[in-house]
Amino acid sequence: MKIVDAKVVVTSPGRNFVTLKLTTDEGLTGLGDATLNGRELAVVSYLADHVVPLLTGLDPHRVEDTWQSLYRGAYWRRGPVTMAAIAAVDVALWDIKAKAAGLPLYQLLGGASRERIGTYGHANGRDIPELLDSVRARLAEGYPAVRIQSGIPGLKAVYGVSDTDESGAPVLHQQARPLVEDWDTAAYLRHVPAVFEAVRAEFGPELPLLHDSHHRLTPVQAARLGKDLEPFRPFWLEDCTPAENQEALRLVRRSTTTPLAVGEVFNTVYDYQALITEQLIDYVRSAVTHFGGVTPLRKLFDFAAQYQIKSAIHGPEDISPVGMAAAVHLDLAVHNFGIQEFSGHTPLTDEVFRHAYTFTDGHLHPGEAPGIGVELDEELAAAHPYAPAYLPVNRLHDGTVHDW
Ligand code: EZ4
Ligand code: CO
């Protein structure tokens, strides 16, 4: 079998998605997600200008060899643009291999290790009463676990709140400039324990509650927050510090038993080396789409498993249904699955990317369609062309740029 065609499809059915489509001489097709939120066209160029010309004529069964040649052959290793591009090729090849075998991808990864995949959804509110309503809405949708983010007194626009409407649906910033959010770490550290206290008081001790600090704290601030949240037994505290400084997590770890989740912006196993070998975290959060595909993410999970660290694949709405499908197959197969973030997509997005995976009673299943189980409606995709969009930036009250 040979690859005879490779093309990059950009579509914006409400937000931008980048998809690689490979076709073989036997008529099999494979899809891979290469969406890098806010920097989409950089990956389009990487693929179209530098990778697509290398793909025609390749044997699509050579998944590992193709991955190694794209990673090592570029010389310039790592980084989100490179690894998103490689991920798209890797997932498209796995899709073809599984279709050729007539099996859903999870069967090629060792088969099902569980019946279904537990998820968490996002609840948010500008204040605590609004957040409680949002938690109620997620529970009504069936989510078994909920991430809670709240507005902070004195701040106008906060991560996880200002970029969503009351129903939790993302509001897009399709404009020429990023939205500017504001930040005050002291106000945040004072408020978050009260948020957890209110949610626990309303929903009791059993509901798993997660929270995302989105890379904003210093190690000592993160340690303080981890300690303050301990009485409320959070499921995890996510991205408490900008963890590319892996040593920073040592102080946090020594100071608190609040579980730690890290890694949605990481793109290779090297970003995790100290975090895993020193057991500084509890969950690895990388997405198939941003980590170079199924091939390296499976290796990361196997590495993490030796240290009792679990998977928690990043699943925001900016991972396309193609990337989500690949994640769900991996979630079903790996033994050390932890939890899957799942925001879902708009009905129009689900129409552009018809998928076999299902979301029932708060749980995902990849379905039994051969491959990853996603079909791209290219005509509908073309009817919704790329629209420039940015992620927000974050500034302190004196105007200083802070981590977003
Ligand atoms: O801000 O995917 O846990 N989820 C997150 C996400 C990220 C977006 C960035 O594109 O932190 O909402
Ligand atoms: Co996050």
Side-chain angles (χ1 to χ4, degrees):
M1 192 157 50
K2 276 185 171 36
I3 295 169
V4 292
D5 189 48
K7 69 171 163 182
V8 185
V9 176
V10 185
T11 181
S12 190
R15 65 162 53 247
N16 294 312
F17 295 111
V18 177
T19 311
L20 177 70
K21 181 178 180 181
L22 303 181
T23 306
T24 74
D25 55 350
E26 296 180 11
L28 290 178
T29 58
L31 298 177
D33 178 27
T35 307
L36 187 61
N37 200 10
R39 294 293 185 271
E40 297 87 356
L41 297 186
V43 192
V44 172
S45 166
Y46 193 107
L47 280 169
D49 295 331
H50 304 294
V51 175
V52 161
L54 306 175
L55 296 177
T56 45
L58 279 191
D59 174 1
H61 278 305
R62 298 186 65 174
V63 182
E64 178 74 26
D65 182 72
T66 303
W67 193 93
Q68 297 294 346
S69 75
L70 289 175
Y71 181 75
R72 292 170 201 281
Y75 187 64
W76 310 107
R77 296 181 187 188
R78 309 166 64 181
V81 175
T82 295
M83 300 314 288
I86 296 178
V89 177
D90 183 77
V91 171
L93 293 181
W94 276 112
D95 193 16
I96 290 170
K97 185 188 280 295
K99 283 180 182 171
L103 292 169
L105 174 60
Y106 75 84
Q107 295 290 13
L108 273 56
L109 301 174
S113 286
R114 58 196 48 79
E115 304 293 319
R116 57 185 195 157
I117 294 152
T119 68
Y120 69 91
H122 293 182
N124 54 78
R126 281 166 295 185
D127 54 21
I128 289 175
E130 203 176 273
L131 171 63
L132 297 180
D133 286 345
S134 182
V135 173
R136 243 171 250 120
R138 296 296 88 75
L139 294 179
E141 288 159 7
Y143 281 102
V146 185
R147 188 189 83 164
I148 52 173
Q149 308 292 138
S150 165
I152 297 161
L155 297 187
K156 294 187 295 291
V158 175
Y159 167 76
V161 178
S162 63
D163 56 351
T164 48
D165 65 21
E166 293 87 71
S167 73
V171 173
L172 297 183
H173 310 300
Q174 289 188 333
Q175 53 195 29
R177 294 278 172 188
L179 174 80
V180 179
E181 297 184 348
D182 55 341
W183 188 250
D184 175 342
T185 299
Y188 168 79
L189 291 177
R190 282 195 304 273
H191 191 59
V192 180
V195 171
F196 267 80
E197 189 174 21
V199 175
R200 277 280 171 247
E202 182 74 12
F203 297 98
E206 286 173 21
L207 178 63
L209 296 178
L210 300 78
H211 179 71
D212 193 344
S213 295
H214 228 246
H215 325 277
R216 286 157 189 214
L217 307 177
T218 64
V220 77
Q221 291 165 346
R224 172 83 266 154
L225 181 61
K227 282 167 78 127
D228 287 350
L229 294 185
E230 275 172 29
F232 311 110
R233 301 284 169 101
F235 184 92
W236 79 34
L237 178 60
E238 175 178 336
D239 287 334
C240 55
T241 64
E244 59 262 42
N245 176 15
Q246 299 185 37
E247 289 74 16
L249 271 287
R250 288 185 190 136
L251 176 73
V252 185
R253 192 62 158 177
R254 269 202 307 275
S255 307
T256 179
T257 55
T258 290
L260 302 174
V262 164
E264 67 186 43
V265 299
F266 287 178
N267 46 71
T268 70
V269 67
Y270 302 105
D271 301 326
Y272 284 105
Q273 227 164 5
L275 298 181
I276 291 177
T277 56
E278 296 183 30
Q279 293 182 257
L280 301 179
I281 57 172
D282 300 279
Y283 295 90
V284 291
R285 302 247 319 117
S286 290
V288 173
T289 303
H290 302 134
F291 202 75
V294 166
T295 299
L297 197 54
R298 175 63 196 254
K299 294 174 186 177
L300 175 73
F301 291 163
D302 289 347
F303 177 37
Q306 312 312 312
Y307 299 87
Q308 291 177 286
I309 295 169
K310 292 188 172 182
S311 78
I313 297 180
H314 191 209
E317 54 289 327
D318 45 281
I319 299 286
S320 89
V322 174
M324 184 54 61
V328 173
H329 283 275
L330 202 46
D331 289 335
L332 199 72
V334 295
H335 177 254
N336 57 327
F337 168 77
I339 198 166
Q340 173 66 57
E341 183 181 32
F342 185 65
S343 302
H345 294 99
T346 61
L348 181 61
T349 300
D350 285 337
E351 230 182 293
V352 171
F353 301 95
R354 284 189 307 275
H355 54 79
Y357 66 79
T358 51
F359 180 67
T360 314
D361 298 331
H363 291 74
L364 286 158
H365 191 280
E368 301 300 334
I372 60 169
V374 184
E375 277 169 50
L376 173 64
D377 183 333
E378 290 185 58
E379 222 169 281
L380 192 56
H384 299 279
Y386 170 78
Y390 286 96
L391 285 165
V393 297
N394 203 16
R395 288 186 186 273
L396 306 182
H397 287 159
D398 70 358
T400 308
V401 170
H402 195 62
D403 305 75
W404 183 77

